[in-house]
Amino acid sequence: MSPRRNRPKAAGSSDRSAEADRAGRYGGWQSTEAWQGEEWSVRHVAGASAQGKTYRCPGCDQMIPSGVPHVVAWPEHAGVDDRRHWHKACWNAKDRRTTRVQRSRNAPRF
């Protein structure tokens, strides 16, 4: 039986890449997904990094409250101005949704 290794690794021998460090700095991990014939950058945002900010989800047209984990997605060829904040469930269901958002009579139009 070999002894347990409880010593932390040296600072210079980290296995994390610069990309992983950058994604971790912003509260989540980032990946690339294909959707509607385009490559999309998708970043999963932790709720703690979204404190004090509210966004409108393009999938359901509802507000994403402050502090709620969500997804930020944008086409890779576009700039940061094209980022959209989605509920995680709405992003996962984007292919099953219709193009027309169904609103109730009393729902505000933004």
Side-chain angles (χ1 to χ4, degrees):
M1 185 162 118
S2 61
R4 288 178 35 180
R5 299 183 72 165
N6 288 334
R7 286 174 264 133
K9 292 184 178 182
S13 67
S14 176
D15 291 335
R16 294 181 62 179
S17 66
E19 179 68 27
D21 184 45
R22 185 172 55 119
R25 183 179 310 151
Y26 295 108
W29 51 274
Q30 185 169 335
S31 63
T32 303
E33 295 183 23
W35 182 48
Q36 294 181 337
E38 293 185 80
E39 292 294 318
W40 287 69
S41 294
V42 179
R43 180 176 294 154
H44 295 262
V45 179
S49 62
Q51 288 292 335
K53 303 172 191 173
T54 58
Y55 304 100
R56 181 163 300 276
C57 175
C60 65
D61 203 34
Q62 299 296 313
M63 296 301 291
I64 301 173
S66 172
V68 172
H70 60 279
V71 173
V72 180
W74 65 96
E76 281 202 349
H77 71 276
V80 294
D81 293 338
D82 292 328
R83 289 182 297 187
R84 296 295 174 258
H85 297 254
W86 296 68
H87 292 107
K88 287 183 180 184
C90 293
W91 176 256
N92 292 336
K94 64 191 175 295
D95 293 326
R96 297 187 304 267
R97 292 188 178 274
T98 61
T99 57
R100 187 167 172 240
V101 176
Q102 301 293 320
R103 294 186 180 96
S104 67
R105 287 185 178 184
N106 299 338
R109 296 191 180 266
F110 292 97

